[in-house]
Amino acid sequence: MTVRPSDYPKERIRLGVWAFFLMQGLCFSTWASRIPDIMAVFAADDVAFWSWMLFLIPAGKFVALPLAGWLVSRLGSRTLVQISIAGYAAALFAIGLATDVYVLGGSLFGFGVCWNLCDISLNTQGIGIERMTGRPVMAKFHGGWSLAACGGALLGFLMIVRGVSPFVHFSLVAAVIVLGMLSLRKYLQEDAEPAPAREDGKAAPALTGFIRKPEWLLIELGVVSLFALIVESAMFDWSGVYFKSVIQAPDSLQIGFLVFMVMVTAGRFLTGYAQDRLGKRGVLQLAGLLIFAGFFISAVPGGLMTSMTGKVTVISLGFMLVGLGISSMVPTVYSLVGAKSATPVGIALTVLSSIAFVGSLIAPLLIGLVSRTFSLQYAYMLVGLLGLCILLMTTFRRAFKN
């Protein structure tokens, strides 16, 4: 007798889907932890050149946007999760294998495509689990992503210290992810057919209505997510570069990405508690304030320190505040989508991502331009101002009222 995914106990299903968030987080952080080493392999000392290379990842994510919602509705999120997570691992392997700049560029573009397809399909699974269990588990799913990303950052730090090449490192992680996908795919759920009703009891409008005129709620949530993705890009892509190039920390002190991910992980697991205490709007307001403070501590007091120990300590503190702030952004916004939007989940997340991923496209070029004209410290101060924008948006816009 064949066991269907829905026939497994709900707790086992939840843990199975949670494991896919772990795999996605591990894949991402494996790449991010070795960015300075990939730069060294290709002698990419020019900030402008490297910003264009990093731009290929969000470009791939953006190109995948028109496909994501269609593929979720056509294939189902269960199938698309399996395809995209395997492609994500394959792209990671190809990045480690690349010896030519064009191969690297193509691999980074493919990495972005698979990243976005995995994001949409896996978060569709997550929202489906929330509805199936009647429990707010999205923060825990994203906490799992962060936990694995933190572990991947620590593994990357150890690989750097021990001199393991990116190719060997990436190959091992890619193999683990593919084996994990094959073992745990049985817990992925088929998508529910009917679109959910809104909280006010009104029926969801037709699909053509979403295409012609997206909900204003999704536009407002998308703008805040856009700011959040610029912040994430500044930390994911440039935190290692900041430690290596700006403060010129030795390999044994290359902890910028690691401390950031530790706080992202801690914050993800505290998000549910914070939402209960402060409400979703209060969580987002606090996040904006922490992001602003963290970037300015990193750029101003951190840049004035003279000793290496002082620089590493102060800048790490700033990175930790940014990590704690950004940790709650994605799960809280996605939770608001699931609670308030009348749009079917796959389409809603695609609309949200279409707006938000403009931030991913802007970030590498913006940071590269400001860094080349002034310095990476000034670029971080500019990004820090987005924390204030998040605070203002979540305070005064109707979509964020509890």
Side-chain angles (χ1 to χ4, degrees), residues 300-334:
V300 182
L304 296 176
M305 302 297 293
T306 55
S307 69
M308 182 59 66
T309 301
K311 287 182 179 180
V312 169
T313 300
V314 174
I315 293 174
S316 295
L317 174 61
F319 281 18
M320 290 168 73
L321 291 178
V322 176
L324 190 59
I326 202 65
S327 65
S328 61
M329 294 292 299
V330 172
T332 302
V333 169
Y334 279 9

Side-chain angles (χ1 to χ4, degrees), residues 96-116:
L97 186 65
T99 55
D100 180 87
V101 68
Y102 297 105
V103 176
L104 177 64
S107 301
L108 292 174
F109 183 83
F111 194 75
V113 170
C114 293
W115 182 348
N116 193 24

Side-chain angles (χ1 to χ4, degrees), residues 302-378:
L304 296 176
M305 302 297 293
T306 55
S307 69
M308 182 59 66
T309 301
K311 287 182 179 180
V312 169
T313 300
V314 174
I315 293 174
S316 295
L317 174 61
F319 281 18
M320 290 168 73
L321 291 178
V322 176
L324 190 59
I326 202 65
S327 65
S328 61
M329 294 292 299
V330 172
T332 302
V333 169
Y334 279 9
S335 183
L336 285 171
V337 170
K340 292 188 172 186
S341 176
T343 309
V345 174
I347 301 297
L349 293 182
T350 300
V351 172
L352 186 74
S353 298
S354 299
I355 301 168
F357 283 148
V358 174
S360 295
L361 291 170
I362 292 172
L365 302 182
L366 175 66
I367 294 171
L369 176 63
V370 175
S371 298
R372 190 174 189 182
T373 306
F374 301 101
S375 70
L376 189 53
Q377 288 170 286
Y378 281 98

Side-chain angles (χ1 to χ4, degrees), residues 143-155:
W145 184 97
S146 301
L147 182 64
C150 183
L154 178 58
L155 178 62

Side-chain angles (χ1 to χ4, degrees), residues 4-76:
R4 297 173 301 173
S6 58
D7 291 336
Y8 290 103
K10 290 182 180 181
E11 186 62 19
R12 189 180 296 181
I13 292 171
R14 185 183 68 81
L15 290 174
V17 174
W18 186 70
F20 277 87
F21 280 89
L22 292 178
M23 287 184 267
Q24 189 191 24
L26 175 63
C27 190
F28 159 74
S29 65
T30 299
W31 144 251
S33 67
R34 303 303 297 268
I35 288 176
D37 295 307
I38 298 294
M39 289 180 67
V41 168
F42 286 88
D45 295 326
D46 184 9
V47 172
F49 167 77
W50 190 244
S51 67
W52 277 106
M53 294 302 293
L54 291 176
F55 173 78
L56 292 171
I57 294 179
K61 294 171 71 176
F62 195 76
V63 167
L65 280 174
L67 294 174
W70 181 79
L71 287 173
V72 167
S73 61
R74 182 79 174 177
L75 302 176

